[in-house]
Amino acid sequence: PLFLNQLQKDLEEVKELLTKATRKRVRDVLVAEKHKLELEIKNQPPPKPKDVVEEEKSSLGGYTVKINNYGWDQSDKFVKIYISLTGVQKLPAENVQVNFTERSFDLLVKNLNGKNYTMTFNNLLKPISVEGSSRKIKTDMILVMCKKKREEKWDCLTQVEKESKEKEKAAYDTTDPSEGLMNILKKMYAEGDDEMKRTINKAWVESREKHYKGDIPMDL
């Protein structure tokens, strides 16, 4: 805007001089300069309204980071989710937004040190009250308070977690105890380091050898 103002002042002065100039050569120079200034002014980008500039600054400047780390706790009436974010208390309150539905919530933190942060929980284990739920901003932390529709204990936060736990439990809950033990050993083998794999392989080979000799291995 400052540069544009200077150009417009130059143009006004050139027009003023044109009204006074009588020599053709002087007039030609001034007319050429007038055209040049008019073209420059035309090519200047239009100034943005103040509210658009402010909105751009405060909204989604920088890039968006998905939050994966959180802690949670519960009371009779609330499920509480704790999200650590350094310096979040310095933001304007409207930069921390949480939208609740009966079975979900999503969090958006705008423009914290040039980044935006999001977190979404879908398929909450049980329904929550949208009106009774809220968020609190604390030092380096956001606390999301989900108001339970019914005062009952939640075993986990989401339906997906519940199904995953049930599948894991079913893998070990077999009628044949040795099959359950095999499932545990397979899981340990899959998740273990090289040392763990060697130990399980050794035990497996020894147990097969005892089996073929007719001895019943007591350790498997």
Side-chain angles (χ1 to χ4, degrees):
L2 189 64
F3 184 58
L4 188 61
N5 285 346
Q6 296 295 330
L7 289 174
Q8 282 165 342
K9 281 180 182 172
D10 289 348
L11 181 60
E12 280 164 24
E13 194 162 310
V14 168
K15 284 178 179 173
E16 179 70 23
L17 289 170
L18 260 172
T19 61
K20 294 174 182 174
T22 53
R23 306 288 301 161
K24 184 179 181 304
R25 191 169 176 183
V26 174
R27 282 183 67 80
D28 287 349
V29 169
L30 288 169
V31 167
E33 187 63 25
K34 176 174 169 281
H35 287 318
K36 189 177 159 193
L37 283 165
E38 282 170 344
L39 194 64
E40 257 190 273
I41 289 167
K42 189 181 167 191
N43 290 335
Q44 285 295 306
K48 288 183 181 178
K50 188 172 183 296
D51 56 347
V52 172
V53 174
E54 291 305 312
E55 178 63 25
E56 281 179 355
K57 271 189 198 166
S58 68
S59 65
L60 302 179
Y63 58 95
T64 299
V65 181
K66 198 168 180 183
I67 303 168
N68 292 314
N69 295 328
Y70 64 92
W72 76 286
D73 190 10
Q74 61 184 313
S75 63
D76 290 341
K77 294 183 179 179
F78 287 94
V79 171
K80 307 167 190 175
I81 296 96
Y82 300 89
I83 299 132
S84 295
L85 272 179
T86 305
V88 71
Q89 72 279 5
K90 294 173 187 166
L91 288 176
E94 63 269 17
N95 280 32
V96 181
Q97 299 169 358
V98 184
N99 293 316
F100 296 96
T101 75
E102 194 176 72
R103 292 297 285 271
S104 76
F105 73 84
D106 61 86
L107 163 74
L108 170 63
V109 179
K110 295 199 284 189
N111 202 20
L112 177 59
N113 301 324
K115 297 177 196 169
N116 310 297
Y117 294 85
T118 64
M119 174 181 249
T120 302
F121 275 92
N122 291 318
N123 299 315
L124 289 170
L125 187 67
K126 297 174 192 291
I128 61 171
S129 159
V130 174
E131 301 77 28
S133 299
S134 61
R135 59 106 180 96
K136 292 180 181 176
I137 301 168
K138 298 176 174 288
T139 305
D140 299 335
M141 180 185 287
I142 299 164
L143 169 57
V144 178
M145 306 273 290
C146 296
K147 175 95 183 325
K148 294 177 178 178
K149 273 255 171 110
R150 289 194 303 274
E151 293 186 17
E152 56 188 325
K153 185 175 181 290
W154 289 25
D155 295 325
C156 48
L157 265 181
T158 63
Q159 195 65 35
V160 174
E161 278 179 70
K162 185 189 176 194
E163 285 163 13
S164 159
K165 279 184 182 177
E166 281 172 355
K167 272 185 195 163
E168 207 166 290
K169 187 170 180 285
Y172 303 145
D173 273 5
T174 58
T175 48
D176 180 355
S178 66
E179 195 184 324
L181 186 58
M182 281 307 301
N183 284 333
I184 293 169
L185 280 174
K186 279 178 190 169
K187 186 171 162 61
M188 285 168 68
Y189 188 86
E191 294 175 0
D193 56 14
D194 290 344
E195 187 63 37
M196 175 66 78
K197 287 182 168 72
R198 276 196 294 273
T199 305
I200 292 171
N201 276 332
K202 186 167 177 281
W204 176 254
V205 170
E206 284 173 4
S207 76
R208 300 306 292 164
E209 283 172 358
K210 283 181 186 177
H211 184 71
Y212 288 127
K213 283 179 188 171
D215 299 332
I216 303 298
M218 298 302 290
D219 57 337
L220 275 178

